[in-house]
Amino acid sequence: MHEQQQGVSLHDIVKRDAKDHHSWNYEDKTGPKHWPEMYKKCGGSRQSPIDILSSEVDLNDELDAFEFDNYDDSLTDAVIENNGHTIQISPGPKDAPRIIDEGGMDDKYQFLQLHFHWGGDSKRGSEHLIDGKSAPMEMHLVHINKNYKTKEKASQKEDGLAVLAVMFKLSNEDNPDLEPIIDKLDDVRNEGDKAEMDDFTLESLLPDDLMPYYRYKGSLTTPPCNEIVTWTIFKNPIPISEKQLQQFRNVKEEDEGEAPESLVDNFRMPQPLHGRVIEISGEGDDSDSNSDSAGNLGPTVVMVLSALSFLL
């Protein structure tokens, strides 16, 4: 299962209705407003992202800390790529499976890939909003339910994927934990470019304090918008500088017959809740913050896999 699932994108996990990679984008006649016309599921009642209103969330004490296997081990065989919609990083066949458990979920989930959503300026960029406010960037760590042996099976189950979402906040200083990624962006400047990545950990990309987090049931945030995602959004952000954000904004996308242009504003607007309940975890227990011998993170270093998101 490890070799079959490592390195795949969400496009691979779900059956796409369109044959052309450019059948959808984030603007014009094939942008988010028109996705429900092209992909029926994008008009469903359990769509993502959403605007999280902190005054209306329900406390759920059963949303406990996550346990992580191999999140503190360096990826040695990863690939970073510009797929025309986002920058995505996927583990390679030599990388041991990264697994998340607990976190108020019934099953274990295996890491598939991470990707980013960002804006043309720092006033926008994230897909999820918190109290109506956008962050300049959002990262999705996408995981597949280990109970489902095939991608096709997972794409049909409402608990097929778990995505951990990490929000970013502006900092005056560069974030050194992001430098392994920033350093590779020149190598994937153009759509279709790929490069090898190594010597970084998933743990290094997570907030120092992973509690509390928000939880709700939703969908992929890109076509075909399958409603198969258990979303976790960490309340605490991680820092990024304007200089580092600009490196993402320098990445290019291409439309057939047109000159390459900057890949920016690759986010979907918030979707209606349709009666869904958004939950929040407790604050956690600082007395248990150390990693255990198996490499699992304790409550303060706990991570609620954020991500997909792509392409969520």
Side-chain angles (χ1 to χ4, degrees), residues 166-208:
V166 176
M167 309 297 258
F168 289 75
K169 65 177 180 180
L170 280 178
S171 169
N172 291 328
E173 304 293 333
D174 290 346
N175 181 345
D177 291 326
L178 295 177
E179 284 305 302
I181 298 173
I182 301 296
D183 289 345
K184 288 290 184 177
L185 291 181
D186 277 343
D187 295 337
V188 293
R189 177 72 58 84
N190 299 309
E191 182 174 335
D193 286 348
K194 296 183 180 182
E196 295 180 355
M197 274 200 73
D198 57 21
D199 199 26
F200 80 100
T201 68
L202 297 182
E203 180 183 345
S204 69
L205 302 178
L206 299 172
D208 291 334

Side-chain angles (χ1 to χ4, degrees), residues 24-28 31-32 35 82-87 116-127 135-138 185 189 191 242 244-255 260-269 310:
W24 64 268
N25 60 24
Y26 288 98
E27 57 188 355
D28 302 327
W35 290 352
N82 173 355
N83 59 24
H85 297 299
T86 187
I87 293 297
F116 302 86
H117 300 269
W118 62 91
D121 61 48
S122 295
K123 296 179 181 179
R124 62 186 188 274
S126 65
E127 296 211 296
M137 190 161 77
E138 180 174 342
L185 291 181
R189 177 72 58 84
E191 182 174 335
E242 278 285 3
Q244 290 176 317
L245 280 167
Q246 189 57 47
Q247 296 304 305
F248 280 89
R249 295 171 188 145
N250 289 339
V251 171
K252 303 297 182 182
E253 63 171 329
E254 299 177 13
D255 288 321
E261 57 184 11
S262 296
L263 173 55
V264 295
D265 297 333
N266 59 342
F267 56 88
R268 188 187 193 189
M269 300 302 289
F310 167 68

